[in-house]
Amino acid sequence: MSHAEHRQHLADADKNYIWHPFTQMQDWVKEDPVVITEGRDCFLKASDGRWYLDGVSSLWVNIHGHRRTEIDDAVKAQLDKIAHTTLLGLANEPSIILAEKLIAQTDTSFTGLKPRLSKVFYSDNGSTAVEVALKMAFQYWIHKGQPKKQRFIGIRNGYHGDTVGAMSVGSVDIFHATFGPLFFAALKSPSPFCYRCELNLETATCGMQCLSSLESILHEHAYEVAAIILEPLVQAAGGMIVWPDGYLRGVRDLCNKYNVLLIADEVATGFGRTGTMFACEHEQIAPDIMCLSKGITNGYMPLAVTLATDDIYQAFLGEFKDLKTFFHGHSYTGNPLACAAALASMELFSTDRTLASMQEKIRLVEHCLAELATLDHVGNVRNKGLMIGIELVRSKATKEPFAWDEKIGWRVAYAARRESVIIRPLGNVVVVMPPLAISLANLAHLMNVIKKSIIAVTLELKEGVW
Ligand SMILES: *Cc1c(COP(=O)(O)O)cnc(C)c1O
């Protein structure tokens, strides 16, 4: 087969055999897909030889760039020892050393704060990390002699994954509404989404009514609530919704007051995305349970962890016959290759000075966003660190959204793709999530392409090209 034939074979076989996630396959098969064959730094190479800038970190997982020698070498070294063994009844070296490192990191990040996270439970993706957290919180209260505490509170616009438990506590309707009958009934509190306040209040004068609403729910239901689960500071899949200062800390205070656990789903925000190692650090609070995945291995391998306090861990101790055991585990729990990749990735935070060198990039992004905000159809720009959302609206004055099926976000993404930039929108929100290691020059280029693409697409709109 010639190179061109092989390329065509891949495109055809993809369409013949693969069912892509979150994808209307009827549209997908109309065109040949971009087939990625290589990566380097912040770039992806496709089968036709073209290089693209990876503007969404390969779905938010890449931190330090692709093909990092340090991580490549760590994985290769581990391959020479063993690829997989199990944590059910056995232990392994990389999972032990990584757990130690993760706890040391949370100790540094949450210095002087209570509670203290001290145990690591492994799984393999963000959704499973959340399922583990929910089951852990649920069983914890049984062991504590408060079996009525069985319910969960989620924050509207929250997203915690696509498994049934994670969907039950999430609320991104467009993804989840179909499966409603399968869900357990979680309580939902208003989203602190100031641009589109669901309580119809003005940010300057609202006195954070959304937090008072949460307190009302707790006032009535705390006796039956195990935990509040939230994405600290940024509700990512819900549309890169950045919370107002003080809300997260307010929730922590309410959890203490009403004796409810706080589960921080840092699957998207963890590992530096928001400018600190964990988003909770911005408001100087620590959760009782913390879920991490996406950035943990720099995107090398599927891996997730659920961290818990000693208090939670201790509640599960007892005689064998008492069945206090946490009966949960996955085939790939604590996979050595994945843990080796995670260890090397964590080390890069200090060798690269990732967090320190991000600060200038964040300033550049915020400068570009301020410019973007002046464009006609840009309703709202928001970011925390390098988690960036640009919400496009039909009318700036009324905030009238574009209809879902106008695919405005996708139109911008396709325009960017013509400029060799890969981004993936969330409805009408243009999402930018570059690897944290992106150079200032590449970041400036990325923001410039985004701007050009938004202008091009909204100009088409004016000219009635659609
Ligand atoms: C992506 C995501 C998840 C789900 O992770 P998967 O690895 O896709 O299962 C959970 N919570 C948050 C906040 C996420 O962004």
Side-chain angles (χ1 to χ4, degrees), residues 298-457:
N298 198 46
Y300 271 58
M301 225 84 70
L303 182 71
V305 291
T306 305
L307 308 189
T309 61
D310 205 47
D311 177 46
I312 293 171
Y313 172 80
Q314 293 285 338
F316 287 76
L317 303 182
E319 297 299 326
F320 187 77
K321 61 172 171 40
D322 296 342
L323 293 177
K324 283 189 160 187
T325 306
F326 187 45
F327 290 107
H328 190 104
H330 297 278
S331 314
Y332 284 95
T333 296
N335 175 265
L337 283 178
C339 291
L343 265 168
S345 180
M346 283 188 76
E347 269 155 29
L348 283 177
F349 275 93
S350 38
T351 28
D352 283 3
R353 300 179 61 254
T354 307
L355 297 178
S357 64
M358 257 179 94
Q359 305 311 318
E360 202 179 349
K361 301 173 197 177
I362 297 171
R363 282 195 294 277
L364 173 84
V365 161
E366 289 173 353
H367 178 77
C368 295
L369 288 179
E371 263 180 41
L372 277 175
T374 64
L375 297 179
D376 262 357
H377 290 278
V378 174
N380 188 230
V381 296
R382 37 193 191 249
N383 81 295
K384 193 79 197 176
L386 294 182
M387 296 181 86
I388 303 150
I390 302 153
E391 182 168 339
L392 303 178
V393 290
R394 180 172 290 289
S395 157
K396 251 173 129 147
T398 64
K399 303 183 183 177
E400 185 198 343
F402 285 101
W404 167 257
D405 54 9
E406 282 178 295
K407 292 175 144 185
I408 183 87
W410 274 112
R411 287 172 197 266
V412 173
Y414 287 130
R417 194 172 293 188
R418 289 192 284 276
E419 305 286 326
S420 301
V421 163
I422 300 286
I423 48 170
R424 183 182 168 84
L426 288 160
N428 298 340
V429 179
V430 175
V431 172
V432 193
M433 285 269 247
L436 308 186
I438 192 170
S439 70
L440 270 175
N442 285 333
L443 184 60
H445 175 69
L446 172 62
M447 294 308 290
N448 196 34
V449 168
I450 303 283
K451 182 176 170 184
K452 272 174 62 182
S453 304
I454 291 174
I455 290 173
V457 167

Side-chain angles (χ1 to χ4, degrees), residues 60 125-128 130 159-162 231 236-237 265 267-268 293-294:
W60 318 350
N125 63 73
S127 307
T128 56
V130 166
Y159 173 85
H160 301 288
D162 292 334
E231 297 165 82
D265 176 357
V267 168
S293 184
K294 292 201 168 87

